[in-house]
Amino acid sequence: MAELGAHITAASAGDDRPSIFEAVAQDSLMAAVKPALQHLVKVLAESNPGRYGFLWQWFDEIYVLLDVLLQQHYLARCSASFSENFYSLKRIPMGDCRQQPLATAGLPKRQHWKSLLLLVLVPYLKGKLEKLVSTLREEDEYSIHPPSSSWKRFYRAFLAAYPFVNMTWEGWFLIQQLCYILGKAQHHSPMLRLAGVRLVRLTAEDILALEKKLGGASSHPAPSIKSRVQSAVRKALGTIAFSLSTGLSVSVFFLQFLDWWYSSENQETIKSLTALPTPPPPVHLDHSSTLLPKLKTVCPLCHKTRVNATALSTSGFVFCYRCAYSYVKAHQRCPITGYATELQHLVKLYSPES
């Protein structure tokens, strides 16, 4: 009976702990937002490369800057990330504290900055690493680097080791989630453990305190210009964050649908559903441009006879493979039309003679 009573007491004390479904759902929320925004920026860049092309080229950096502002606002105001606050969760410091601090109290500075770095920097670096691995695999497959290059062995060793490193990383998260389900861990994610915090549900006192703080923010006028500027910036960030939060409550399903629709696994289905006749050449091009050589066998970039002829599927123009690869990798657009282009849009051409 004593053991049963202790178990019931422990279970009631752990009622504030979110379920694994809530924890995983808030993790996947931001993962669904980024692909949808990326597709929106891609559509803008393709519609007007001159005006919006830089958004596509620097999308990762612009997104991480906006993510920093958003997560900083919610961590300072609600002791939670944007997605955690969306699911009515908050972060509290690790420790055996009987009385939890209110969400409006904020996290200690150490846990606050650790949380911000792990929320923003780790996904950014992981995305960059995945893009680097994809690029190196393409370069290794098409022998972009000469065989005598001193970096060749390093590239191949890195590519050979990356799958095992990635498997270890994903396995770490899986084991942590299993321990959380079995009640052996207080965190469902290693990132929370590294930040020194754990997730709990918002209480009624937290909700009242957040509403009071939001309502009282505008009741006291700022006494100085500096305070007014800071208040205006906070109010603008709060408005943006509130708009995102309320908008996402309606459009989460739509964002996840876009994520599925434009996923790599669904590309073949998309091609079969959206197959259209080949469009005519761009009508806005000036055919007297110096970029377009008179001879059809000459590359528009190096102005020499083409080697390993490669077409860009976004525009249809043909270049040397090495020229097209280097230009698209550096500028992410077609050198003739300016259309947004990625390395996956390079299509090698094979003549009957070869």
Side-chain angles (χ1 to χ4, degrees), residues 42 56 138 264 267 311 313 328 341-347:
K42 184 178 180 180
W56 177 252
E138 290 183 0
S264 58
Q267 288 302 308
S313 61
V328 172
T341 305
E342 300 177 13
L343 292 175
Q344 64 186 17
H345 295 143
L346 272 66
V347 181

Side-chain angles (χ1 to χ4, degrees), residues 44-247:
L44 289 175
E46 289 176 346
S47 63
N48 194 333
R51 178 175 295 181
Y52 303 113
F54 77 97
L55 292 176
W56 177 252
Q57 186 174 358
W58 298 100
F59 175 79
D60 290 337
E61 286 70 24
I62 295 173
Y63 179 83
V64 79
L65 178 60
L66 295 176
D67 198 19
V68 166
L69 296 176
L70 184 67
Q71 303 296 1
Q72 165 64 18
H73 171 78
Y74 273 91
L75 284 172
R77 196 175 187 88
C78 309
S79 301
S81 68
F82 169 73
S83 56
E84 290 162 359
N85 180 259
F86 184 82
Y87 281 92
S88 299
L89 305 176
K90 68 175 181 178
R91 297 184 174 210
I92 61 172
M94 283 295 299
D96 198 11
C97 51
R98 298 273 179 179
Q99 188 173 1
Q100 298 177 5
L102 291 175
T104 53
L107 292 168
K109 284 188 177 180
R110 185 181 182 87
Q111 283 83 0
H112 177 95
W113 292 112
K114 277 186 176 181
S115 296
L116 184 62
L117 286 176
L118 292 171
L119 280 169
V120 177
L121 190 61
V122 171
Y124 172 75
L125 293 178
K126 189 173 184 295
K128 285 294 185 183
L129 183 62
E130 289 173 353
K131 286 187 177 181
L132 175 62
V133 169
S134 176
T135 301
L136 291 179
R137 281 175 178 164
E138 290 183 0
E139 291 179 351
D140 184 65
E141 182 179 355
Y142 292 105
S143 300
I144 298 298
H145 295 285
S148 60
S149 173
S150 58
W151 291 96
K152 191 74 172 180
R153 291 182 179 178
F154 173 76
Y155 286 154
R156 290 189 171 177
F158 175 73
L159 292 177
Y162 178 77
F164 299 98
V165 174
N166 189 53
M167 181 181 66
T168 304
W169 175 268
E170 298 296 337
W172 187 24
F173 278 76
L174 178 60
I175 291 173
Q176 190 71 33
Q177 289 179 1
L178 289 175
C179 292
Y180 185 80
I181 293 172
L182 298 174
K184 303 296 184 181
Q186 294 182 327
H187 318 82
H188 77 285
S189 169
M191 297 297 102
L192 293 173
R193 185 181 183 88
L194 293 176
V197 297
R198 67 186 182 94
L199 289 180
V200 295
R201 292 190 180 96
L202 288 176
T203 62
E205 291 80 5
D206 289 320
I207 296 173
L208 289 175
L210 289 171
E211 291 178 351
K212 184 178 179 181
K213 184 175 182 179
L214 183 62
S218 58
S219 60
H220 302 287
S224 64
I225 297 178
K226 182 179 179 180
S227 302
R228 290 179 181 178
V229 171
Q230 291 178 348
S231 177
V233 172
R234 290 195 192 100
K235 189 177 291 185
L237 288 175
T239 303
I240 294 172
F242 179 75
S243 301
L244 283 174
S245 180
T246 53

Side-chain angles (χ1 to χ4, degrees), residues 13-61:
D15 285 342
D16 62 343
R17 197 180 76 152
S19 67
I20 186 63
F21 302 104
E22 292 172 308
V24 172
Q26 65 86 18
D27 281 338
S28 63
L29 178 60
M30 293 305 292
V33 172
K34 186 175 180 180
L37 292 178
Q38 194 170 19
H39 176 68
L40 177 63
V41 170
K42 184 178 180 180
V43 171
L44 289 175
E46 289 176 346
S47 63
N48 194 333
R51 178 175 295 181
Y52 303 113
F54 77 97
L55 292 176
W56 177 252
Q57 186 174 358
W58 298 100
F59 175 79
D60 290 337
E61 286 70 24

